[in-house]
Amino acid sequence: MAVRGRNARFAAITAGAALLLAGCGLGGSAQPEADTSGAVTGSITFQTIQLSPTFDDYIHGLIAGFEKAHPGAKVEWTDIPSDAAARKVSADSVTQKLPDVMDLDVATLAPLGRRELVVDMATAANDVKDSYVPSAWNSFAYTGTAIAALPWYLNTPVLISNQSVLKKAGLDGRPAPANYDELIERSRQIAAKAKVAGFQPTESALTSSLLTIGVPLVSEDATQAKVNTPEAQKFVAALAELYQVGGIPQDSVNAKERSEIETFSDAKTAYLEAGGSRLKIIKQNSPAVYGEVAVGKPLGDAAKRTWVVAHGLAVPKKSANPATALAFAKFVTSAENQLALGKQSSVFPSTLASLNDPYFTSGDDKDLTVAARKIAADSLHSDRTIVKSAAVDTEYSKALWAAVQPAIIGKADPAAALADAETKLTKILKDRRQ
């Protein structure tokens, strides 16, 4: 279970969420704040996304623990397929039948948060704010609702490298690249000497790369796109240069997008920045490549700009039992319960106390999974991760990639391509508010 994704599960959730929800009615505009101060009693519904059957025992244990602590409370759990999540959230919102507690990713939650249809955790749960990783808490900040969910599980990357390719390029034994400037320079050398690409930019990764190098992506109020910056122009120009010399896989840019994990597993790239859960996929796809793998700190580590993605628990304002719903959301996202989930999955807890557990801080670094887990947990616990605005969703990423592709393959000027992207993206952001 990874978050960027939990492999195909989370990818399917976010892939259509923004497009589905942006065009649907969502039960009207802002609703009055719910009273979450009442007694913790009565029945609530809890909806998760494709956790069953893998985590049935865990979820049932959570519910049993909560009901034991609150004898008057009852929790009914439902689990839905990832490819049905966006449509169901939209339909339930229109009919005002949203579950009392909802497990949602940032993109799927965005329309509810923007329209102030969920409880603002910045007010209702301010007492637990400091227990969470700051970037996890702020992942659910929307214009309209300050914090639309309590953080639950997270993912953040490590830098995975193929040491065999680096040896062919004369780079073996050197420290891993610490930023994109170094990665791009290494990629030129790898292409020239090893005849292999350095890394693969993709539609899904481009926004994370830009965020890491200091491009804001959107304005603070999420009404304007901010992608045509000197940093972005330099980066896209560098990608165009790499494309010409084979430093990035050409078929990954001008053809149907090829998964970067697939490209790396085929030994066609030297570097892959991804969640540690990808190591298992590499091992399954190509044991030979896995035998050459090393892991290191992500590219945004030194600048404290490593990407993080989150799932959280939201409570609709129109919940019939908001006090019990909020209490359950707090219970599920407590340090103890998040640690238990982290130990039986590949996701990371969003609570600082959980990340400080020896499970995430110690172990044999010769085990790649353990090494990756320690690196990622340290990034989260040490506040070296940065929030990507909730406005930067699948629709945004697709439009940006489409605008930038011509520049990467040398058919458009980078500055002109980014200016065009900024105009189109700003229109998307403004259309969402109409």
Side-chain angles (χ1 to χ4, degrees):
M1 194 169 71
V3 181
R4 193 203 183 188
R6 248 182 42 228
N7 304 339
R9 294 181 179 180
F10 290 168
I13 298 168
T14 56
L19 291 172
L20 269 171
L21 293 171
C24 297
L26 288 167
S29 57
Q31 297 166 355
E33 284 298 333
D35 181 6
T36 58
S37 64
V40 180
T41 187
S43 297
I44 59 169
T45 52
F46 174 42
Q47 180 175 284
T48 57
I49 299 175
Q50 206 156 324
L51 296 185
S52 182
T54 305
F55 297 97
D56 282 4
D57 290 344
Y58 174 77
I59 298 296
H60 286 308
L62 282 178
I63 293 171
F66 180 75
E67 292 178 348
K68 182 178 180 180
H70 303 282
K74 185 72 175 176
V75 180
E76 179 184 345
W77 174 42
T78 59
D79 187 74
I80 61 175
S82 58
D83 57 4
R87 190 174 301 279
K88 188 173 189 306
V89 170
S90 176
D92 288 349
S93 181
V94 171
T95 59
Q96 300 185 9
K97 292 181 179 179
L98 288 166
D100 296 295
V101 181
M102 301 176 288
D103 159 28
L104 295 173
D105 64 275
V106 172
T108 310
L109 178 58
L112 305 180
R114 284 196 295 264
R115 300 194 185 204
E116 303 177 52
L117 300 181
V118 291
V119 170
D120 191 341
M121 298 299 180
T123 300
N126 188 60
D127 58 319
V128 295
K129 173 184 176 181
D130 292 340
S131 65
Y132 299 103
V133 173
S135 59
W137 177 265
N138 292 323
S139 290
F140 297 99
Y142 302 90
T143 301
T145 307
I147 301 295
L150 291 182
W152 192 8
Y153 47 83
L154 313 174
N155 204 17
T156 196
V158 295
L159 186 64
I160 303 170
S161 58
N162 184 323
Q163 297 300 298
S164 177
V165 172
L166 297 183
K167 185 175 182 179
K168 291 177 183 178
L171 294 170
D172 54 317
R174 292 185 56 181
N179 52 52
Y180 270 99
D181 285 342
E182 293 183 9
L183 177 67
I184 288 167
E185 181 56 40
R186 299 277 181 90
S187 296
R188 293 191 185 101
Q189 186 171 339
I190 291 165
K193 294 189 175 182
K195 308 303 179 185
V196 174
F199 69 104
Q200 178 181 335
T202 64
E203 174 188 301
S204 57
L206 180 61
T207 54
S208 296
S209 300
L210 292 176
L211 190 70
T212 296
I213 65 173
V215 181
L217 301 177
V218 297
S219 59
E220 288 189 8
D221 63 359
T223 61
Q224 300 276 336
K226 298 289 183 181
V227 296
N228 188 22
T229 69
E231 296 86 357
Q233 292 176 16
K234 177 184 175 184
F235 182 69
V236 174
L239 293 182
E241 292 176 6
L242 283 177
Y243 179 85
Q244 294 301 321
V245 300
I248 59 177
Q250 297 196 1
D251 62 352
S252 70
V253 179
N254 59 12
K256 184 177 181 180
E257 183 175 4
R258 190 173 190 260
S259 164
E260 62 266 46
I261 187 71
E262 179 184 356
T263 308
F264 185 87
S265 296
D266 289 343
K268 293 183 177 180
T269 52
Y271 294 105
L272 170 68
E273 189 179 60
S277 62
R278 298 305 202 189
L279 292 167
K280 182 178 180 180
I281 301 174
I282 296 169
K283 188 175 184 178
Q284 291 173 339
N285 289 352
S286 180
V289 169
Y290 184 81
E292 301 293 336
V293 161
V295 296
K297 293 181 179 180
L299 295 167
D301 185 82
K304 296 185 177 182
R305 300 187 69 87
T306 299
W307 58 259
V308 62
V309 292
H311 262 236
L313 298 183
V315 175
K317 287 183 178 180
K318 287 203 170 184
S319 167
N321 200 345
T324 302
L326 177 62
F328 183 69
K330 287 182 176 181
F331 179 81
V332 173
T333 62
S334 67
E336 178 183 2
N337 287 324
Q338 290 212 43
L339 177 60
L341 177 61
K343 286 183 175 181
Q344 57 183 284
S345 69
S346 59
V347 298
F348 290 88
S350 60
T351 54
L352 294 165
S354 303
L355 291 167
N356 203 36
D357 186 86
Y359 179 78
F360 292 104
T361 61
S362 62
D364 184 3
D365 284 350
K366 292 181 181 179
D367 183 323
L368 292 178
T369 300
V370 172
R373 183 168 65 227
K374 289 167 63 177
I375 291 168
D378 184 56
S379 291
L380 291 165
H381 192 275
S382 302
D383 196 22
R384 294 201 295 276
T385 53
I386 188 171
V387 175
K388 184 188 295 183
S389 170
V392 182
D393 55 14
T394 304
E395 181 184 23
Y396 184 107
S397 297
K398 284 183 179 294
L400 177 59
W401 181 249
V404 167
Q405 274 180 302
I408 296 177
I409 64 176
K411 294 187 176 180
D413 175 71
L418 287 164
D420 179 53
E422 196 165 88
T423 298
K424 291 177 179 177
L425 292 169
T426 295
K427 183 178 185 303
I428 288 172
L429 297 176
K430 290 184 175 179
D431 285 348
R432 292 176 181 175
R433 298 177 177 278
Q434 295 177 357

